[in-house]
Structures are given as structure tokens and as C-alpha cells.
Amino acid sequence: MRLSDILSKEPMTEFKSVDNFAPTCSAKIGTSYKIDVGKVYLNQKCNNCNEVHQFYSDEILYFMPVNNELISIDCRLTCQYCGKVSVPVWFLIQVEGMMFNKGNKSVSFIQNCKVRLLHKHFKYTSDVEPAPLGYKKEYSDLLLKADQAFRDNLGAGALVYLRKLYEKVTIDIAIDNGIPYLDKNGKKLNFKEILDRVESQYSIIPPEFAANGYKLFGELSNIVHDSSIDEETGIKRYTSLRRLIVGILDNIKNKEELSEATRELAWSV
């Protein structure tokens, strides 16, 4: 797998093996180098075309070692359809297999090192917007607001939007499926009780972390209620917490699409 394949995906939690991409000699920390790793392809909304199109980079990108485990990569993506609109993008990559050379403040790379994409940041203008996310509009809007807060280094704000999204999705599922979420006085139950009721009848949490559905809510809430947690902590947690929220959205979307398919086929459930 080439490094461009990793850059063309969403941030990830696991490391992936990639073809060698770094200079054969050591690379000095803070110095930019050209690398030939193939083109990066990412969907964006081109406002010149008023459509979502694939944007692509040149094959030559620029990378810079940040420390003994992180590198940054810069490039510019151009609309493949009109070729008139472009957007700068920056990637933060964690590398498993870099060695720090203290003497000249440089790093060297082992053969067949592994990497994972931690973060990508687009410098959007009026010409380019993020591609729609494919969920209900109110869910996509909250997720895009969370992403924007993250890009602006507002870790607490980003997690607040994720928490709002988690609450809204859970209550919407309760309403849609006739699952009680109010007490006898008409007040909303606490989130844990609502989630437990939803999970017992619909199961919105993917099996990979089904036992930790409420723990996810707790993680998102800590940043709001604990004044000792700073913005940097929120930034560090964001990618993993966002991935779990997206997993819930995808799980719900998959259930709805499968149910629709069986209804169209008139299959009994």
C-alpha cells in the first residue's frame, strides 16, 4: 500500500504497512522534503461546479518530521472535473518505526514501516466546502460543526457537538420506535436509562463496543463538566471518539437500509 492510499482515507486507529516513502538518508526535524507517494483523492464540494467531485493532488507531496513519531504532509487538492478550484490540506501521520538521531536532530526510517492517519485539516474557502456526510441533515450538520471546531483547535467544543449528536440520535430512535423516554411527569429520563431502553429494543451501538455505549457518553461529558481538562486533551481524544459516533450513525443507517430492502421485497421479518 502506498502512503497516498492512507491519506485518501479517514483517520484510523490501527497502523497500516506502507511502501517506503522517506528519503534514504536521515530527515531533519522541521525540514520539508519532497516525496513521490502517488496522488491523494478525496471528495469535496466544488462550488464552481456546485457538485461533489473527487479532488486530487500531484504525485509529489511534501513531508516534514515533527518528532520521533509524527510527520506532517502538505499538498493541494484540485477539482478533477473543472480543474479551476483547489484546497490546501495538511495531514498528521504517526509512524511506527522512526529512530531519533539526537546528534543532528533528525530521524531515520526502518524498512516497511507502519503508519496511521491521525488528522487531516482543510483550509476551506468560498470555492470549496466539505462533502455532505450522507446522514440525516441534522446529524450531518452537528458532525460538520464538530469537525469545524476540531479544525479550529477547539477540543471542548468539538466534543460538545459529538455529545449533542449522540443524545439526539438516541432520542430520535426512541421516538421513532415508540420507546418511552419520558418519566410519568413528562420529563426526559437520564441518558443512561434512555440508552438502555433503546439498546434493549433496537441496538444502535455496534457490537465492537456494545458494552461501552454509556462509557462513550461519559467520555464526551467529561470535557464539559471537568474544568481541569484542557482543549489539547479534547483534540487528542476527538478522532477516536468521532469514529465511535460515526460507527453508531453507520449502524443505524445500515439497519434502515436493510429494513427498506426487505420491505421492497415483501419479505417477512
Side-chain angles (χ1 to χ4, degrees), residues 8-263:
S8 298
K9 300 181 184 298
E10 289 299 307
M12 55 191 63
T13 57
E14 70 279 4
F15 286 89
K16 297 287 187 181
S17 296
V18 293
D19 298 338
N20 294 331
F21 62 89
T24 54
C25 59
S26 61
K28 289 187 177 182
I29 290 176
T31 300
S32 182
Y33 298 85
K34 290 182 179 180
I35 49 173
D36 184 357
V37 295
K39 294 184 178 181
V40 177
Y41 292 93
L42 290 166
N43 289 336
Q44 301 291 309
K45 184 175 184 291
C46 173
N47 287 332
N48 182 61
C49 302
N50 199 29
E51 292 285 347
V52 174
H53 289 305
Q54 198 170 62
F55 281 55
Y56 68 96
S57 72
D58 292 333
E59 292 197 7
I60 302 298
L61 308 183
Y62 292 86
F63 99 101
M64 182 179 69
V66 177
N67 54 33
N68 64 337
E69 66 173 14
L70 298 175
I71 63 173
S72 68
I73 296 177
D74 298 285
C75 67
R76 180 176 287 272
L77 304 179
T78 302
C79 177
Q80 193 171 28
Y81 188 79
C82 71
K84 297 178 179 179
V85 168
S86 63
V87 58
V89 58
W90 166 80
F91 304 91
L92 184 64
I93 303 290
Q94 185 175 8
V95 182
E96 195 176 70
M98 282 200 302
M99 293 178 290
F100 180 60
N101 306 314
K102 188 176 180 179
N104 60 359
K105 295 182 180 180
S106 66
V107 293
S108 55
F109 300 81
I110 65 171
Q111 295 290 314
N112 301 315
C113 61
K114 294 183 177 181
V115 305
R116 65 170 176 161
L117 174 60
L118 297 178
H119 173 53
K120 54 186 174 184
H121 175 80
F122 296 89
K123 190 173 182 179
Y124 289 114
T125 65
S126 59
D127 293 328
V128 185
E129 297 177 11
L133 300 175
Y135 307 114
K136 292 181 180 178
K137 185 180 185 304
E138 56 267 37
Y139 301 163
S140 293
D141 287 347
L142 284 170
L143 194 53
L144 287 171
K145 287 178 180 179
D147 288 342
Q148 184 59 55
F150 177 61
R151 287 193 292 270
D152 292 338
N153 291 317
L154 301 175
L159 298 191
V160 166
Y161 282 121
L162 290 184
R163 191 182 75 155
K164 286 182 178 180
L165 177 53
Y166 193 7
E167 288 181 293
K168 179 166 182 55
V169 166
T170 304
I171 292 174
D172 284 353
I173 291 296
I175 293 172
D176 292 344
N177 292 274
I179 301 170
Y181 68 101
L182 302 174
D183 64 18
K184 60 182 180 180
N185 297 317
K187 293 184 178 180
K188 191 166 62 177
L189 298 167
N190 66 66
F191 184 76
K192 186 178 188 306
E193 189 165 352
I194 298 172
L195 182 63
D196 287 344
R197 292 184 179 191
V198 168
E199 281 298 284
S200 67
Q201 298 186 45
Y202 192 88
S203 186
I204 64 174
I205 311 296
E208 290 81 2
F209 65 102
N212 293 306
Y214 187 68
K215 186 174 183 178
L216 170 59
F217 183 76
E219 286 279 339
L220 295 171
S221 300
N222 284 343
I223 196 73
V224 180
H225 301 301
D226 189 345
S227 59
S228 66
I229 299 178
D230 56 19
E231 297 288 355
E232 184 179 354
T233 301
I235 294 296
K236 288 179 179 178
R237 293 179 180 177
Y238 180 77
T239 298
S240 295
L241 291 170
R242 181 191 189 278
R243 183 63 190 89
L244 297 181
I245 293 296
V246 168
I248 293 171
L249 294 176
D250 289 340
N251 191 40
I252 294 170
K253 184 179 179 181
N254 189 50
K255 283 176 178 285
E256 293 173 345
E257 290 176 351
L258 292 176
S259 295
E260 178 63 25
T262 56
R263 281 196 297 270

